[in-house]
Amino acid sequence: MNIVVTGGAGFIGANFVYYMLKQRPADKIICFDKLTYAGNMATLDKAMTKEKFKFIRGDIADRRAVDKLFRDEKPDIIVNFAAESHVDRSIEDPELFLRTNILGTSVLLDACRKYGIDRYHQVSTDEVYGDLPLDRPDLFFTETTPLHTSSPYSASKASADLLVQAYSRTYKIPVTISRCSNNYGPFHFPEKLIPLMIINALHDKKLPVYGKGENVRDWLYVKDHCSAINLVLTKGKAGEVYNIGGHNERRNIDVVKIILKELGKPESLIEHVEDRKGHDRRYAIDPTKIRNDLGWEPETKFEDGIKQTIQWYLEHKDWWENIISGEYQNYYDKMYGNR
Ligand code: NAD
Ligand code: DAU
């Protein structure tokens, strides 16, 4: 099979490329990525040596480029990871999120209509459900929870989901959607909570915790997300939505303290800064459907995954030093300078 992975030079997409090269050695994996600030060819170094892997630079919102992709590569499966993914950036400047996340999705779907596809899979997020109150630990997001978004990022992802469902119903395109909770692991871009805190702590820099740090995220090791998507591709039913999560809820402040403890750094590095606008309080996935229908279980416990992740950052300084020494520095100064 020819499997196109859009956004495969980013955090989860690249982990998925490596997962698929290992799990499905007979299939050809084609990464289609615009290489925005979040895309990184260094991440794909090892994949580039594999015969079954091909990289194509391109924009999912560019119709001509996507048309060429379909004509040249004749994909059987599309897995769409490509997105602008950072909530804080979407609050600063929403427009690019609409172009890539919404228009880009519709361009891919139009190509599926024109050329045909065995499966179009949309990598969505639990953020489309909005948030849950902190004092109701009994509540979880299920696949039937209404979409109710908070940030321009989550609104753009929810819009894309609606388009995917509309194309499924109207044009009978065989689609699936997965909505996963927060991922962590290797190749996570330094702007996101866990890598940002690891890298700042290593530099004895302040750790900027938004507000009181009481917001809760439901963390999943990235490889478990990859195994879930592969299972949805092989066993999932067209037209269905699958939530992905491992019941691992943590307050941000507790995650930050674990990182400091692992690195032997003092809690005095923590600095409470101005809260994120519209900050979602709690995410929590109910993964009953994917567990019962497809038999998916996560393998990595947070206690192990966070240690492995910290170790990975310690062993791959070149990877992240390259990132933080470039344009990222301007972003950091702009985002945290006046907070
Ligand atoms: P990321 O920002 O690390 O990577 C995004 C990738 O998409 C980059 O390689 C970038 O170059 C590429 N890209 C951006 N715009 C593009 C365009 N117009 N055309 C082609 N490529 C483009 O993101 P991530 O954290 O790996 O997230 C991947 C997907 O998973 C996203 O759709 C995101 O919404 C979803 N998701 C992320 C998480 C998480 O915790 N990170 C959780 C659930 C769902
Ligand atoms: O839930 C899935 C989503 O998880 C994905 O759809 C998004 O693409 C992904 O970026 C992630 O969104 P979050 O906003 O939850 O992740 P982020 O790492 O930006 O923030 C996690 C929490 O940490 C959030 O409550 C905000 C807080 N935070 C974040 C940063 C960057 C801080 O307190 N300080 C920070 O500097």
Side-chain angles (χ1 to χ4, degrees):
M1 279 198 165
N2 295 331
I3 304 177
V4 166
V5 178
T6 67
F11 164 45
I12 310 174
N15 276 283
F16 186 71
V17 163
Y18 287 115
Y19 183 85
M20 294 296 271
L21 286 170
K22 201 162 172 204
Q23 296 295 321
R24 298 173 70 151
D27 292 335
K28 186 172 171 194
I29 309 296
I30 303 123
C31 169
F32 184 80
D33 196 297
K34 185 180 174 185
L35 295 182
T36 67
Y37 79 92
N40 189 346
M41 283 311 288
T43 304
L44 292 173
D45 266 355
K46 288 204 175 112
M48 292 300 274
T49 65
K50 308 274 185 208
E51 204 192 313
K52 289 287 191 180
F53 178 75
K54 181 170 179 183
F55 178 82
I56 299 170
R57 186 169 190 179
D59 178 349
I60 59 165
D62 176 346
R63 275 185 200 279
R64 281 177 58 190
V66 169
D67 214 67
K68 184 166 174 9
L69 169 75
F70 273 71
R71 270 186 280 117
D72 292 352
E73 304 303 329
K74 303 183 176 36
D76 301 294
I77 295 176
I78 300 275
V79 185
N80 182 27
F81 288 91
E84 288 295 330
S85 70
H86 194 36
V87 173
D88 290 326
R89 288 185 192 252
S90 84
I91 294 167
E92 290 297 303
D93 187 6
E95 192 171 327
L96 186 55
F97 286 72
L98 311 189
R99 182 179 186 276
T100 289
N101 301 1
I102 308 174
L103 181 65
T105 299
S106 79
V107 169
L108 290 173
L109 289 164
D110 282 336
C112 293
R113 269 175 76 192
K114 184 168 167 188
Y115 293 98
I117 198 80
D118 286 352
R119 176 66 63 84
Y120 174 91
H121 182 76
Q122 177 73 1
V123 181
S124 185
T125 167
D126 59 359
E127 295 200 20
V128 299
Y129 299 122
D131 65 352
L132 297 164
L134 292 174
D135 60 355
R136 289 293 306 273
D138 54 314
L139 296 180
F140 296 92
F141 297 137
T142 71
E143 289 79 0
T144 56
T145 300
L147 305 192
H148 184 82
T149 56
S150 315
S151 69
Y153 163 71
S154 56
S156 69
K157 291 295 290 185
S159 307
D161 284 13
L162 292 175
L163 271 174
V164 171
Q165 287 172 325
Y167 275 64
S168 160
R169 175 156 172 165
T170 305
Y171 305 113
K172 310 281 176 256
I173 294 173
V175 305
T176 38
I177 297 175
S178 54
R179 296 182 179 142
C180 190
S181 61
N182 285 63
N183 284 212
Y184 69 102
F187 302 120
H188 205 177
F189 195 83
E191 68 191 349
K192 306 282 168 53
L193 180 78
I194 288 182
L196 186 139
M197 297 301 167
I198 296 172
I199 292 170
N200 278 19
L202 286 172
H203 288 115
D204 296 309
K205 256 174 98 170
K206 289 287 183 190
L207 272 49
V209 170
Y210 297 165
K212 291 186 184 155
E214 285 172 351
N215 303 61
V216 170
R217 295 295 182 265
D218 185 358
W219 294 98
L220 185 73
Y221 194 62
V222 61
K223 195 174 169 200
D224 286 322
H225 186 184
C226 297
S227 73
I229 293 176
N230 189 30
L231 206 55
V232 171
L233 293 178
T234 49
K235 286 186 169 177
K237 225 172 110 192
E240 294 291 316
V241 174
Y242 296 92
N243 280 356
I244 306 171
H247 280 305
N248 181 51
E249 290 175 53
R250 310 258 166 177
R251 295 190 312 163
N252 293 337
I253 189 73
D254 298 329
V255 171
V256 170
K257 284 181 181 171
I258 290 173
I259 292 169
L260 286 170
K261 191 160 175 232
E262 280 300 319
L263 290 171
K265 300 286 182 177
E267 289 187 6
S268 56
L269 285 178
I270 293 173
E271 183 175 49
H272 291 274
V273 299
E274 188 190 329
D275 210 349
R276 174 183 279 174
K277 292 186 180 77
H279 199 172
D280 279 338
R281 293 160 296 174
R282 169 176 170 251
Y283 302 147
I285 282 278
D286 176 353
T288 305
K289 178 172 173 180
I290 192 165
R291 197 173 55 213
N292 289 355
D293 292 6
L294 308 186
W296 177 80
E297 289 289 350
E299 274 181 9
T300 304
K301 288 208 284 281
F302 187 76
E303 291 73 9
D304 302 327
I306 192 72
K307 283 190 187 139
Q308 287 169 31
T309 303
I310 292 171
Q311 195 53 35
W312 189 89
Y313 279 84
L314 287 170
E315 287 168 7
H316 294 81
K317 279 193 178 158
D318 286 358
W319 182 85
W320 55 262
E321 274 174 351
N322 237 335
I323 295 171
I324 63 169
S325 63
E327 175 55 28
Y328 177 77
Q329 201 53 56
N330 297 336
Y331 161 81
Y332 194 91
D333 293 343
K334 188 173 165 218
M335 197 60 79
Y336 295 94
N338 295 321
R339 230 175 168 123

